[in-house]
PDB file of all heavy atoms in Angstrom:
ATOM      1  N   ALA G 129      40.957 125.634  23.847  1.00 98.00           N
ATOM      2  CA  ALA G 129      39.809 124.732  23.989  1.00 98.00           C
ATOM      3  C   ALA G 129      40.267 123.275  23.979  1.00 98.00           C
ATOM      4  O   ALA G 129      39.850 122.467  24.813  1.00 98.00           O
ATOM      5  CB  ALA G 129      38.804 124.982  22.861  1.00 98.00           C
ATOM      6  N   ALA G 130      41.169 122.939  23.051  1.00 98.00           N
ATOM      7  CA  ALA G 130      41.647 121.553  22.958  1.00 98.00           C
ATOM      8  C   ALA G 130      42.422 121.156  24.210  1.00 98.00           C
ATOM      9  O   ALA G 130      42.393 119.992  24.623  1.00 98.00           O
ATOM     10  CB  ALA G 130      42.509 121.385  21.714  1.00 98.00           C
ATOM     11  N   TYR G 133      39.163 120.189  26.380  1.00 98.00           N
ATOM     12  CA  TYR G 133      38.294 119.055  26.053  1.00 98.00           C
ATOM     13  C   TYR G 133      39.061 117.805  25.611  1.00 98.00           C
ATOM     14  O   TYR G 133      38.583 116.686  25.811  1.00 98.00           O
ATOM     15  CB  TYR G 133      37.210 119.448  25.036  1.00 98.00           C
ATOM     16  CG  TYR G 133      37.660 119.684  23.608  1.00 98.00           C
ATOM     17  CD1 TYR G 133      37.877 118.613  22.740  1.00 98.00           C
ATOM     18  CD2 TYR G 133      37.843 120.971  23.118  1.00 98.00           C
ATOM     19  CE1 TYR G 133      38.267 118.824  21.424  1.00 98.00           C
ATOM     20  CE2 TYR G 133      38.238 121.200  21.803  1.00 98.00           C
ATOM     21  CZ  TYR G 133      38.454 120.114  20.965  1.00 98.00           C
ATOM     22  OH  TYR G 133      38.850 120.324  19.671  1.00 98.00           O
ATOM     23  N   LEU G 134      40.252 117.976  25.012  1.00 98.00           N
ATOM     24  CA  LEU G 134      41.016 116.779  24.619  1.00 98.00           C
ATOM     25  C   LEU G 134      41.868 116.239  25.766  1.00 98.00           C
ATOM     26  O   LEU G 134      42.145 115.043  25.832  1.00 98.00           O
ATOM     27  CB  LEU G 134      41.898 117.081  23.407  1.00 98.00           C
ATOM     28  CG  LEU G 134      41.194 117.128  22.047  1.00 98.00           C
ATOM     29  CD1 LEU G 134      42.167 117.576  20.962  1.00 98.00           C
ATOM     30  CD2 LEU G 134      40.576 115.779  21.685  1.00 98.00           C
ATOM     31  N   GLU G 139      34.864 112.051  27.221  1.00 92.00           N
ATOM     32  CA  GLU G 139      34.712 111.895  25.767  1.00 92.00           C
ATOM     33  C   GLU G 139      34.125 113.138  25.136  1.00 92.00           C
ATOM     34  O   GLU G 139      34.533 113.566  24.069  1.00 92.00           O
ATOM     35  CB  GLU G 139      33.775 110.721  25.468  1.00 92.00           C
ATOM     36  CG  GLU G 139      34.275 109.379  25.960  1.00 92.00           C
ATOM     37  CD  GLU G 139      35.065 108.657  24.896  1.00 92.00           C
ATOM     38  OE1 GLU G 139      34.482 108.317  23.866  1.00 92.00           O
ATOM     39  OE2 GLU G 139      36.281 108.450  25.101  1.00 92.00           O
ATOM     40  N   SER G 140      33.125 113.712  25.817  1.00 95.00           N
ATOM     41  CA  SER G 140      32.421 114.870  25.274  1.00 95.00           C
ATOM     42  C   SER G 140      32.209 115.875  26.389  1.00 95.00           C
ATOM     43  O   SER G 140      32.075 115.502  27.554  1.00 95.00           O
ATOM     44  CB  SER G 140      31.056 114.466  24.724  1.00 95.00           C
ATOM     45  OG  SER G 140      31.240 113.508  23.702  1.00 95.00           O
ATOM     46  N   SER G 141      32.186 117.138  26.013  1.00 98.00           N
ATOM     47  CA  SER G 141      31.938 118.173  27.019  1.00 98.00           C
ATOM     48  C   SER G 141      31.567 119.465  26.327  1.00 98.00           C
ATOM     49  O   SER G 141      31.834 119.654  25.144  1.00 98.00           O
ATOM     50  CB  SER G 141      33.186 118.405  27.886  1.00 98.00           C
ATOM     51  OG  SER G 141      34.254 118.918  27.099  1.00 98.00           O
ATOM     52  N   SER G 142      30.943 120.353  27.092  1.00 98.00           N
ATOM     53  CA  SER G 142      30.856 121.739  26.656  1.00 98.00           C
ATOM     54  C   SER G 142      32.172 122.389  27.043  1.00 98.00           C
ATOM     55  O   SER G 142      32.810 121.975  28.010  1.00 98.00           O
ATOM     56  CB  SER G 142      29.707 122.450  27.368  1.00 98.00           C
ATOM     57  OG  SER G 142      28.476 121.873  26.980  1.00 98.00           O
ATOM     58  N   VAL G 143      32.574 123.397  26.283  1.00 98.00           N
ATOM     59  CA  VAL G 143      33.879 123.997  26.579  1.00 98.00           C
ATOM     60  C   VAL G 143      33.780 125.516  26.548  1.00 98.00           C
ATOM     61  O   VAL G 143      33.085 126.093  25.696  1.00 98.00           O
ATOM     62  CB  VAL G 143      34.963 123.445  25.611  1.00 98.00           C
ATOM     63  CG1 VAL G 143      34.589 123.667  24.168  1.00 98.00           C
ATOM     64  CG2 VAL G 143      36.326 124.045  25.889  1.00 98.00           C
ATOM     65  N   ILE G 144      34.442 126.136  27.524  1.00 98.00           N
ATOM     66  CA  ILE G 144      34.525 127.596  27.567  1.00 98.00           C
ATOM     67  C   ILE G 144      35.991 127.994  27.608  1.00 98.00           C
ATOM     68  O   ILE G 144      36.767 127.457  28.408  1.00 98.00           O
ATOM     69  CB  ILE G 144      33.792 128.166  28.804  1.00 98.00           C
ATOM     70  CG1 ILE G 144      32.276 128.164  28.562  1.00 98.00           C
ATOM     71  CG2 ILE G 144      34.270 129.579  29.138  1.00 98.00           C
ATOM     72  CD1 ILE G 144      31.452 128.719  29.711  1.00 98.00           C
ATOM     73  N   VAL G 145      36.369 128.922  26.734  1.00 98.00           N
ATOM     74  CA  VAL G 145      37.695 129.521  26.757  1.00 98.00           C
ATOM     75  C   VAL G 145      37.514 131.003  27.017  1.00 98.00           C
ATOM     76  O   VAL G 145      36.741 131.670  26.313  1.00 98.00           O
ATOM     77  CB  VAL G 145      38.424 129.340  25.411  1.00 98.00           C
ATOM     78  CG1 VAL G 145      39.717 130.149  25.387  1.00 98.00           C
ATOM     79  CG2 VAL G 145      38.704 127.868  25.147  1.00 98.00           C
ATOM     80  N   TYR G 155      37.004 135.196  23.710  1.00 98.00           N
ATOM     81  CA  TYR G 155      36.117 134.212  24.341  1.00 98.00           C
ATOM     82  C   TYR G 155      35.613 133.241  23.289  1.00 98.00           C
ATOM     83  O   TYR G 155      35.370 133.640  22.139  1.00 98.00           O
ATOM     84  CB  TYR G 155      34.933 134.945  24.984  1.00 98.00           C
ATOM     85  CG  TYR G 155      33.864 134.054  25.565  1.00 98.00           C
ATOM     86  CD1 TYR G 155      34.016 133.483  26.822  1.00 98.00           C
ATOM     87  CD2 TYR G 155      32.690 133.793  24.861  1.00 98.00           C
ATOM     88  CE1 TYR G 155      33.032 132.661  27.353  1.00 98.00           C
ATOM     89  CE2 TYR G 155      31.700 132.973  25.391  1.00 98.00           C
ATOM     90  CZ  TYR G 155      31.876 132.407  26.639  1.00 98.00           C
ATOM     91  OH  TYR G 155      30.904 131.605  27.162  1.00 98.00           O
ATOM     92  N   LEU G 156      35.481 131.998  23.688  1.00 98.00           N
ATOM     93  CA  LEU G 156      34.895 130.988  22.806  1.00 98.00           C
ATOM     94  C   LEU G 156      34.070 130.037  23.662  1.00 98.00           C
ATOM     95  O   LEU G 156      34.480 129.661  24.758  1.00 98.00           O
ATOM     96  CB  LEU G 156      36.014 130.226  22.095  1.00 98.00           C
ATOM     97  CG  LEU G 156      35.687 129.016  21.204  1.00 98.00           C
ATOM     98  CD1 LEU G 156      36.779 128.837  20.161  1.00 98.00           C
ATOM     99  CD2 LEU G 156      35.538 127.732  22.009  1.00 98.00           C
ATOM    100  N   ALA G 157      32.892 129.685  23.169  1.00 98.00           N
ATOM    101  CA  ALA G 157      32.081 128.669  23.848  1.00 98.00           C
ATOM    102  C   ALA G 157      31.670 127.652  22.798  1.00 98.00           C
ATOM    103  O   ALA G 157      31.298 128.027  21.679  1.00 98.00           O
ATOM    104  CB  ALA G 157      30.854 129.296  24.487  1.00 98.00           C
ATOM    105  N   GLY G 158      31.742 126.389  23.144  1.00 98.00           N
ATOM    106  CA  GLY G 158      31.404 125.387  22.143  1.00 98.00           C
ATOM    107  C   GLY G 158      31.098 124.045  22.759  1.00 98.00           C
ATOM    108  O   GLY G 158      30.984 123.890  23.976  1.00 98.00           O
ATOM    109  N   GLN G 159      30.964 123.073  21.857  1.00 98.00           N
ATOM    110  CA  GLN G 159      30.667 121.710  22.289  1.00 98.00           C
ATOM    111  C   GLN G 159      31.654 120.772  21.602  1.00 98.00           C
ATOM    112  O   GLN G 159      31.828 120.848  20.378  1.00 98.00           O
ATOM    113  CB  GLN G 159      29.236 121.344  21.906  1.00 98.00           C
ATOM    114  CG  GLN G 159      28.806 119.986  22.448  1.00 98.00           C
ATOM    115  CD  GLN G 159      27.340 119.706  22.211  1.00 98.00           C
ATOM    116  OE1 GLN G 159      26.770 120.169  21.227  1.00 98.00           O
ATOM    117  NE2 GLN G 159      26.728 118.944  23.096  1.00 98.00           N
ATOM    118  N   ALA G 160      32.267 119.923  22.391  1.00 97.00           N
ATOM    119  CA  ALA G 160      33.220 118.963  21.842  1.00 97.00           C
ATOM    120  C   ALA G 160      32.606 117.572  21.918  1.00 97.00           C
ATOM    121  O   ALA G 160      32.210 117.118  22.993  1.00 97.00           O
ATOM    122  CB  ALA G 160      34.520 118.999  22.633  1.00 97.00           C
ATOM    123  N   ILE G 161      32.504 116.932  20.768  1.00 94.00           N
ATOM    124  CA  ILE G 161      31.981 115.569  20.725  1.00 94.00           C
ATOM    125  C   ILE G 161      33.024 114.686  20.051  1.00 94.00           C
ATOM    126  O   ILE G 161      33.419 114.955  18.915  1.00 94.00           O
ATOM    127  CB  ILE G 161      30.637 115.505  19.962  1.00 94.00           C
ATOM    128  CG1 ILE G 161      29.593 116.379  20.688  1.00 94.00           C
ATOM    129  CG2 ILE G 161      30.151 114.065  19.832  1.00 94.00           C
ATOM    130  CD1 ILE G 161      28.273 116.514  19.952  1.00 94.00           C
ATOM    131  N   ASP G 162      33.470 113.666  20.784  1.00 90.00           N
ATOM    132  CA  ASP G 162      34.487 112.739  20.278  1.00 90.00           C
ATOM    133  C   ASP G 162      35.680 113.473  19.664  1.00 90.00           C
ATOM    134  O   ASP G 162      36.158 113.119  18.589  1.00 90.00           O
ATOM    135  CB  ASP G 162      33.874 111.786  19.248  1.00 90.00           C
ATOM    136  CG  ASP G 162      32.799 110.908  19.885  1.00 90.00           C
ATOM    137  OD1 ASP G 162      32.930 110.629  21.094  1.00 90.00           O
ATOM    138  OD2 ASP G 162      31.842 110.530  19.184  1.00 90.00           O
ATOM    139  N   GLY G 163      36.124 114.495  20.335  1.00 92.00           N
ATOM    140  CA  GLY G 163      37.343 115.176  19.918  1.00 92.00           C
ATOM    141  C   GLY G 163      37.167 116.288  18.911  1.00 92.00           C
ATOM    142  O   GLY G 163      38.127 116.968  18.566  1.00 92.00           O
ATOM    143  N   SER G 164      35.925 116.475  18.412  1.00 95.00           N
ATOM    144  CA  SER G 164      35.726 117.560  17.448  1.00 95.00           C
ATOM    145  C   SER G 164      34.943 118.698  18.091  1.00 95.00           C
ATOM    146  O   SER G 164      33.982 118.463  18.827  1.00 95.00           O
ATOM    147  CB  SER G 164      34.959 117.052  16.230  1.00 95.00           C
ATOM    148  OG  SER G 164      35.752 116.094  15.581  1.00 95.00           O
ATOM    149  N   LEU G 165      35.363 119.898  17.775  1.00 97.00           N
ATOM    150  CA  LEU G 165      34.797 121.085  18.424  1.00 97.00           C
ATOM    151  C   LEU G 165      33.827 121.801  17.498  1.00 97.00           C
ATOM    152  O   LEU G 165      34.137 122.084  16.344  1.00 97.00           O
ATOM    153  CB  LEU G 165      35.942 122.048  18.790  1.00 97.00           C
ATOM    154  CG  LEU G 165      35.524 123.396  19.386  1.00 97.00           C
ATOM    155  CD1 LEU G 165      34.902 123.214  20.766  1.00 97.00           C
ATOM    156  CD2 LEU G 165      36.732 124.327  19.472  1.00 97.00           C
ATOM    157  N   LYS G 166      32.644 122.104  18.041  1.00 98.00           N
ATOM    158  CA  LYS G 166      31.699 122.946  17.330  1.00 98.00           C
ATOM    159  C   LYS G 166      31.587 124.252  18.107  1.00 98.00           C
ATOM    160  O   LYS G 166      31.207 124.246  19.293  1.00 98.00           O
ATOM    161  CB  LYS G 166      30.345 122.232  17.276  1.00 98.00           C
ATOM    162  CG  LYS G 166      29.309 122.952  16.463  1.00 98.00           C
ATOM    163  CD  LYS G 166      28.049 122.087  16.382  1.00 98.00           C
ATOM    164  CE  LYS G 166      26.890 122.911  15.857  1.00 98.00           C
ATOM    165  NZ  LYS G 166      25.604 122.307  16.201  1.00 98.00           N
ATOM    166  N   VAL G 167      31.945 125.361  17.467  1.00 98.00           N
ATOM    167  CA  VAL G 167      31.913 126.656  18.153  1.00 98.00           C
ATOM    168  C   VAL G 167      30.484 127.187  18.134  1.00 98.00           C
ATOM    169  O   VAL G 167      29.852 127.271  17.083  1.00 98.00           O
ATOM    170  CB  VAL G 167      32.870 127.658  17.469  1.00 98.00           C
ATOM    171  CG1 VAL G 167      32.786 129.032  18.135  1.00 98.00           C
ATOM    172  CG2 VAL G 167      34.309 127.142  17.532  1.00 98.00           C
ATOM    173  N   LEU G 168      29.972 127.537  19.315  1.00 98.00           N
ATOM    174  CA  LEU G 168      28.593 128.014  19.419  1.00 98.00           C
ATOM    175  C   LEU G 168      28.514 129.507  19.685  1.00 98.00           C
ATOM    176  O   LEU G 168      27.490 130.140  19.409  1.00 98.00           O
ATOM    177  CB  LEU G 168      27.855 127.247  20.524  1.00 98.00           C
ATOM    178  CG  LEU G 168      27.711 125.744  20.275  1.00 98.00           C
ATOM    179  CD1 LEU G 168      27.165 125.045  21.505  1.00 98.00           C
ATOM    180  CD2 LEU G 168      26.805 125.488  19.074  1.00 98.00           C
ATOM    181  N   ALA G 169      29.555 130.077  20.266  1.00 98.00           N
ATOM    182  CA  ALA G 169      29.573 131.528  20.507  1.00 98.00           C
ATOM    183  C   ALA G 169      31.009 131.970  20.619  1.00 98.00           C
ATOM    184  O   ALA G 169      31.893 131.189  20.986  1.00 98.00           O
ATOM    185  CB  ALA G 169      28.815 131.871  21.792  1.00 98.00           C
ATOM    186  N   TRP G 271      23.929 129.856  29.426  1.00 98.00           N
ATOM    187  CA  TRP G 271      23.577 129.972  28.001  1.00 98.00           C
ATOM    188  C   TRP G 271      24.085 128.748  27.240  1.00 98.00           C
ATOM    189  O   TRP G 271      23.364 128.139  26.440  1.00 98.00           O
ATOM    190  CB  TRP G 271      24.189 131.260  27.431  1.00 98.00           C
ATOM    191  CG  TRP G 271      23.849 131.490  25.990  1.00 98.00           C
ATOM    192  CD1 TRP G 271      22.799 132.202  25.498  1.00 98.00           C
ATOM    193  CD2 TRP G 271      24.549 130.972  24.845  1.00 98.00           C
ATOM    194  NE1 TRP G 271      22.796 132.178  24.128  1.00 98.00           N
ATOM    195  CE2 TRP G 271      23.859 131.422  23.699  1.00 98.00           C
ATOM    196  CE3 TRP G 271      25.694 130.178  24.673  1.00 98.00           C
ATOM    197  CZ2 TRP G 271      24.279 131.117  22.397  1.00 98.00           C
ATOM    198  CZ3 TRP G 271      26.101 129.863  23.386  1.00 98.00           C
ATOM    199  CH2 TRP G 271      25.387 130.324  22.258  1.00 98.00           C
ATOM    200  N   LEU G 272      25.329 128.386  27.531  1.00 98.00           N
ATOM    201  CA  LEU G 272      25.932 127.258  26.817  1.00 98.00           C
ATOM    202  C   LEU G 272      25.208 125.954  27.156  1.00 98.00           C
ATOM    203  O   LEU G 272      24.894 125.147  26.265  1.00 98.00           O
ATOM    204  CB  LEU G 272      27.421 127.178  27.186  1.00 98.00           C
ATOM    205  CG  LEU G 272      28.237 126.084  26.512  1.00 98.00           C
ATOM    206  CD1 LEU G 272      28.199 126.217  24.999  1.00 98.00           C
ATOM    207  CD2 LEU G 272      29.690 126.125  27.006  1.00 98.00           C
ATOM    208  N   HIS G 273      24.931 125.760  28.433  1.00 98.00           N
ATOM    209  CA  HIS G 273      24.281 124.525  28.855  1.00 98.00           C
ATOM    210  C   HIS G 273      22.885 124.394  28.235  1.00 98.00           C
ATOM    211  O   HIS G 273      22.456 123.290  27.865  1.00 98.00           O
ATOM    212  CB  HIS G 273      24.195 124.462  30.374  1.00 98.00           C
ATOM    213  CG  HIS G 273      23.641 123.166  30.881  1.00 98.00           C
ATOM    214  ND1 HIS G 273      22.315 123.008  31.212  1.00 98.00           N
ATOM    215  CD2 HIS G 273      24.234 121.955  31.068  1.00 98.00           C
ATOM    216  CE1 HIS G 273      22.117 121.755  31.599  1.00 98.00           C
ATOM    217  NE2 HIS G 273      23.254 121.091  31.526  1.00 98.00           N
ATOM    218  N   ALA G 274      22.208 125.531  28.098  1.00 98.00           N
ATOM    219  CA  ALA G 274      20.862 125.498  27.502  1.00 98.00           C
ATOM    220  C   ALA G 274      20.924 124.973  26.069  1.00 98.00           C
ATOM    221  O   ALA G 274      19.955 124.415  25.567  1.00 98.00           O
ATOM    222  CB  ALA G 274      20.253 126.900  27.534  1.00 98.00           C
ATOM    223  N   ARG G 275      22.057 125.148  25.400  1.00 98.00           N
ATOM    224  CA  ARG G 275      22.199 124.677  24.025  1.00 98.00           C
ATOM    225  C   ARG G 275      22.739 123.261  23.923  1.00 98.00           C
ATOM    226  O   ARG G 275      22.455 122.546  22.968  1.00 98.00           O
ATOM    227  CB  ARG G 275      23.119 125.627  23.247  1.00 98.00           C
ATOM    228  CG  ARG G 275      22.328 126.641  22.489  1.00 98.00           C
ATOM    229  CD  ARG G 275      22.806 128.077  22.745  1.00 98.00           C
ATOM    230  NE  ARG G 275      21.692 128.997  22.540  1.00 98.00           N
ATOM    231  CZ  ARG G 275      20.968 129.505  23.533  1.00 98.00           C
ATOM    232  NH1 ARG G 275      21.228 129.188  24.789  1.00 98.00           N
ATOM    233  NH2 ARG G 275      19.965 130.325  23.289  1.00 98.00           N
ATOM    234  N   THR G 276      23.561 122.853  24.875  1.00 98.00           N
ATOM    235  CA  THR G 276      24.213 121.543  24.738  1.00 98.00           C
ATOM    236  C   THR G 276      23.593 120.482  25.647  1.00 98.00           C
ATOM    237  O   THR G 276      23.621 119.299  25.301  1.00 98.00           O
ATOM    238  CB  THR G 276      25.712 121.630  25.099  1.00 98.00           C
ATOM    239  OG1 THR G 276      25.829 121.935  26.497  1.00 98.00           O
ATOM    240  CG2 THR G 276      26.424 122.690  24.286  1.00 98.00           C
ATOM    241  N   GLY G 277      23.121 120.904  26.804  1.00 98.00           N
ATOM    242  CA  GLY G 277      22.607 119.933  27.775  1.00 98.00           C
ATOM    243  C   GLY G 277      23.681 118.979  28.286  1.00 98.00           C
ATOM    244  O   GLY G 277      23.375 117.939  28.871  1.00 98.00           O
ATOM    245  N   ASP G 278      24.939 119.332  28.090  1.00 98.00           N
ATOM    246  CA  ASP G 278      26.029 118.431  28.498  1.00 98.00           C
ATOM    247  C   ASP G 278      26.120 118.302  30.018  1.00 98.00           C
ATOM    248  O   ASP G 278      25.724 119.191  30.762  1.00 98.00           O
ATOM    249  CB  ASP G 278      27.376 118.969  27.975  1.00 98.00           C
ATOM    250  CG  ASP G 278      27.592 118.644  26.512  1.00 98.00           C
ATOM    251  OD1 ASP G 278      27.086 117.603  26.058  1.00 98.00           O
ATOM    252  OD2 ASP G 278      28.262 119.442  25.829  1.00 98.00           O
ATOM    253  N   ARG G 279      26.698 117.189  30.435  1.00 98.00           N
ATOM    254  CA  ARG G 279      26.929 116.951  31.862  1.00 98.00           C
ATOM    255  C   ARG G 279      28.192 117.677  32.343  1.00 98.00           C
ATOM    256  O   ARG G 279      28.270 118.162  33.451  1.00 98.00           O
ATOM    257  CB  ARG G 279      27.091 115.438  32.086  1.00 98.00           C
ATOM    258  CG  ARG G 279      26.904 114.966  33.504  1.00 98.00           C
ATOM    259  CD  ARG G 279      27.163 113.466  33.607  1.00 98.00           C
ATOM    260  NE  ARG G 279      28.562 113.135  33.424  1.00 98.00           N
ATOM    261  CZ  ARG G 279      29.504 113.305  34.341  1.00 98.00           C
ATOM    262  NH1 ARG G 279      29.203 113.786  35.526  1.00 98.00           N
ATOM    263  NH2 ARG G 279      30.766 112.983  34.094  1.00 98.00           N
ATOM    264  N   VAL G 280      29.195 117.727  31.434  1.00 98.00           N
ATOM    265  CA  VAL G 280      30.522 118.211  31.838  1.00 98.00           C
ATOM    266  C   VAL G 280      30.861 119.506  31.105  1.00 98.00           C
ATOM    267  O   VAL G 280      30.615 119.641  29.901  1.00 98.00           O
ATOM    268  CB  VAL G 280      31.606 117.153  31.510  1.00 98.00           C
ATOM    269  CG1 VAL G 280      32.990 117.665  31.885  1.00 98.00           C
ATOM    270  CG2 VAL G 280      31.308 115.838  32.205  1.00 98.00           C
ATOM    271  N   LEU G 281      31.452 120.419  31.846  1.00 98.00           N
ATOM    272  CA  LEU G 281      32.032 121.622  31.251  1.00 98.00           C
ATOM    273  C   LEU G 281      33.544 121.551  31.421  1.00 98.00           C
ATOM    274  O   LEU G 281      34.031 121.257  32.516  1.00 98.00           O
ATOM    275  CB  LEU G 281      31.507 122.877  31.975  1.00 98.00           C
ATOM    276  CG  LEU G 281      32.159 124.209  31.566  1.00 98.00           C
ATOM    277  CD1 LEU G 281      31.807 124.581  30.130  1.00 98.00           C
ATOM    278  CD2 LEU G 281      31.739 125.331  32.517  1.00 98.00           C
ATOM    279  N   THR G 282      34.293 121.793  30.336  1.00 98.00           N
ATOM    280  CA  THR G 282      35.748 121.900  30.450  1.00 98.00           C
ATOM    281  C   THR G 282      36.130 123.343  30.155  1.00 98.00           C
ATOM    282  O   THR G 282      35.459 124.023  29.367  1.00 98.00           O
ATOM    283  CB  THR G 282      36.476 120.943  29.484  1.00 98.00           C
ATOM    284  OG1 THR G 282      36.013 121.179  28.145  1.00 98.00           O
ATOM    285  CG2 THR G 282      36.193 119.493  29.844  1.00 98.00           C
ATOM    286  N   PHE G 303      26.191 122.771  35.044  1.00 98.00           N
ATOM    287  CA  PHE G 303      26.908 121.530  34.710  1.00 98.00           C
ATOM    288  C   PHE G 303      27.152 120.708  35.971  1.00 98.00           C
ATOM    289  O   PHE G 303      27.419 121.242  37.039  1.00 98.00           O
ATOM    290  CB  PHE G 303      28.239 121.859  34.025  1.00 98.00           C
ATOM    291  CG  PHE G 303      28.058 122.497  32.677  1.00 98.00           C
ATOM    292  CD1 PHE G 303      28.077 123.888  32.552  1.00 98.00           C
ATOM    293  CD2 PHE G 303      27.839 121.729  31.551  1.00 98.00           C
ATOM    294  CE1 PHE G 303      27.888 124.487  31.309  1.00 98.00           C
ATOM    295  CE2 PHE G 303      27.658 122.322  30.309  1.00 98.00           C
ATOM    296  CZ  PHE G 303      27.682 123.709  30.183  1.00 98.00           C
ATOM    297  N   TRP G 324      45.333 119.038  19.432  1.00 98.00           N
ATOM    298  CA  TRP G 324      44.372 119.337  18.363  1.00 98.00           C
ATOM    299  C   TRP G 324      44.926 118.879  17.015  1.00 98.00           C
ATOM    300  O   TRP G 324      44.232 118.270  16.196  1.00 98.00           O
ATOM    301  CB  TRP G 324      44.060 120.834  18.342  1.00 98.00           C
ATOM    302  CG  TRP G 324      42.942 121.189  17.412  1.00 98.00           C
ATOM    303  CD1 TRP G 324      41.607 121.107  17.669  1.00 98.00           C
ATOM    304  CD2 TRP G 324      43.080 121.673  16.068  1.00 98.00           C
ATOM    305  NE1 TRP G 324      40.885 121.512  16.566  1.00 98.00           N
ATOM    306  CE2 TRP G 324      41.772 121.864  15.570  1.00 98.00           C
ATOM    307  CE3 TRP G 324      44.167 121.962  15.245  1.00 98.00           C
ATOM    308  CZ2 TRP G 324      41.522 122.328  14.279  1.00 98.00           C
ATOM    309  CZ3 TRP G 324      43.926 122.424  13.965  1.00 98.00           C
ATOM    310  CH2 TRP G 324      42.618 122.605  13.486  1.00 98.00           C
TER     311      TRP G 324
END
Side-chain angles (χ1 to χ4, degrees):
Y133 72 80
L134 283 174
E139 298 268 296
S140 300
S141 64
S142 295
V143 56
I144 282 181
V145 172
Y155 175 81
L156 174 154
Q159 186 173 31
I161 299 174
D162 297 330
S164 296
L165 176 68
K166 185 175 167 200
V167 177
L168 297 171
W271 182 92
L272 182 59
H273 185 264
R275 264 129 207 100
T276 66
D278 281 330
R279 198 183 70 77
V280 178
L281 173 67
T282 55
F303 294 95
W324 188 82

